[in-house]
């Protein structure tokens, strides 16, 4: 693809990109796990007309040429408002996209992004439903933080409710061993308050 270099992505550069800006920081990190900024040389083709790839591509810097099936061209600059969205997102692709100038792009797995967006959109209504059925003494802010963790990302809502209803609070003292390497896994622990040290000997 004419890549000159790769740079590890930082979250803060993505606040202007839709729909990435609709995700919580943790969900965004999950979607971007393993992604890199790719620097593309001029005249390199990123997308061919008719492609059915699985990527959502964002233009971070530089300039692209979009060519339709009739040969008509449009220039897309990273400073244009249209660059705040994925490049020619419809599939199959309706344009051939070529780097006009040196560009930095980010390619995200489309299905991973869609799954994250669906979860993010349903989180509010899910939390409302759960809060109506959870014991009144349960810390709602803590439950909401828990729901945003990757542990619950692939669980159906009914399973989440069942899990939360079965939680038991266990106080521990400083220095107390909670689990040991090699123990049979018979339950799952969440830290509600404080910190825990993880050591492997």
């Amino acid at each position: 693809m004419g890549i000159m270099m790769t740079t590890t992505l930082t979250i803060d550069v993505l606040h202007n990109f839709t729909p990435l800006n609709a995700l919580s920081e943790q969900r965004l990190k999950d979607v971007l796990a393993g992604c890199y900024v790719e620097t593309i040389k001029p005249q390199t083709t990123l997308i061919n007309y008719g492609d059915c790839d699985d990527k959502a591509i964002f233009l971070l810097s530089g300039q692209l040429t979009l060519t339709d099936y009739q040969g008509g061209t449009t220039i897309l600059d990273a400073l244009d408002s249209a660059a705040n969205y994925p490049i020619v997102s419809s599939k199959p692709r309706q344009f051939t996209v070529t780097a006009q100038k040196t560009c930095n792009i980010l390619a995200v797995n489309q299905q991973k992004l869609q799954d994250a967006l669906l979860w993010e959109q349903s989180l509010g209504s899910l939390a409302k439903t759960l809060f109506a059925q959870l014991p009144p003494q349960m810390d709602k802010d803590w439950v909401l933080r828990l729901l945003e963790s990757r542990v619950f990302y692939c669980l159906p809502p009914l399973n989440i409710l069942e899990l939360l209803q079965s939680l038991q609070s266990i106080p521990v003292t400083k220095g107390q061993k909670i689990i040991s390497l090699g123990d049979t896994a018979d339950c799952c622990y969440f830290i509600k308050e404080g910190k825990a040290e993880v050591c492997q000997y």
Side-chain angles (χ1 to χ4, degrees), residues 113-135:
L113 175 58
Q114 189 62 37
D115 290 346
L117 288 168
L118 288 173
W119 174 259
E120 205 75 52
Q121 290 166 4
S122 65
L123 183 59
S125 58
L126 172 61
K128 186 176 180 180
T129 302
L130 289 175
F131 289 174
Q133 300 181 56
L134 289 174

Side-chain angles (χ1 to χ4, degrees), residues 1 38-47 57-67 73-80 82-83 85-88 95-106:
M1 187 184 270
E38 297 181 352
T39 302
I40 311 299
K41 296 178 180 179
Q43 308 310 314
T44 301
T45 299
L46 281 72
I47 297 170
I57 300 175
F58 297 87
L59 178 62
L60 305 178
S61 66
Q63 202 172 72
L64 299 172
T65 301
L66 283 58
T67 306
T73 60
T74 303
I75 301 297
L76 178 65
D77 191 280
L79 298 177
D80 297 340
Y85 301 86
I87 302 165
V88 292
F95 295 85
T96 294
V97 180
T98 306
Q100 177 78 10
K101 297 180 179 179
T102 299
C103 298
N104 286 318
I105 64 157
L106 171 69

